[in-house]
Amino acid sequence: MADKTIFQKIGDGDIPVKMEYQDELCFCIRDINPQAPLHLLVIPRRLIARLDSAVEADEALLGHLLLVGRKVALGLGFEDGFRIVINNGPMAGETVPHLHVHVLAGRQMGWPPG
Ligand code: AMP
């Protein structure tokens, strides 16, 4: 069996991390290297390496990740706006090969993103 990703280890409780939210499908933690005052990661418990690897059966799960990100950001008081980012593959900046949704808030965002 392949080594667990860092996010599988966190989700399985092998590495103790404060969860901002969790349910049977996903969990939400703060990014260890925040790029904004609020920087959350919403991560499916089941390993999907990247968005490219998702299939039609993952449609509801993918929507759930977005709604969880919204719920946690609003619950923490970041009502002025937030940015959702999914890096798909190394060229896009994905460093952990386990699909995750970044939720960034608390500062003015620029465009285009780097
Ligand atoms: P990406 O570059 O899109 O793959 O995002 C991976 C993110 O995971 C980066 O923003 C890292 O800072 C973050 N990260 C890596 N290890 C941890 C960890 N142990 N706890 C929280 N965030 C992490």
Side-chain angles (χ1 to χ4, degrees), residues 6-7 10 29-33 41 87 93-96 100 102:
I6 183 80
F7 293 158
I10 291 172
I29 59 173
R30 288 182 187 256
D31 197 291
I32 204 169
N33 182 23
L41 300 172
N87 294 323
E94 184 180 6
T95 57
V96 178
H100 47 282
H102 296 261

Side-chain angles (χ1 to χ4, degrees), residues 5-99:
T5 67
I6 183 80
F7 293 158
Q8 282 175 299
K9 289 179 187 168
I10 291 172
D12 290 351
D14 301 346
I15 300 174
V17 170
K18 184 186 177 217
M19 300 272 176
E20 296 295 339
Y21 172 89
Q22 58 179 318
D23 61 26
E24 70 282 2
L25 296 176
C26 73
F27 57 95
C28 177
I29 59 173
R30 288 182 187 256
D31 197 291
I32 204 169
N33 182 23
Q35 301 301 310
L38 181 71
H39 188 168
L40 302 168
L41 300 172
V42 187
I43 305 165
R45 292 189 183 280
R46 181 165 55 81
L47 175 61
I48 299 172
R50 57 167 85 168
L51 192 54
D52 267 353
S53 314
V55 296
E56 264 185 51
D58 296 321
E59 189 172 334
L61 172 63
L62 295 174
H64 183 66
L65 301 179
L66 296 180
L67 293 179
V68 165
R70 178 190 71 176
K71 178 161 68 176
V72 178
L74 294 182
L76 290 170
F78 289 84
E79 286 132 3
D80 289 344
F82 55 82
R83 178 171 289 179
I84 296 283
V85 173
I86 299 175
N87 294 323
N88 182 76
M91 186 75 165
E94 184 180 6
T95 57
V96 178
H98 183 148
L99 175 68

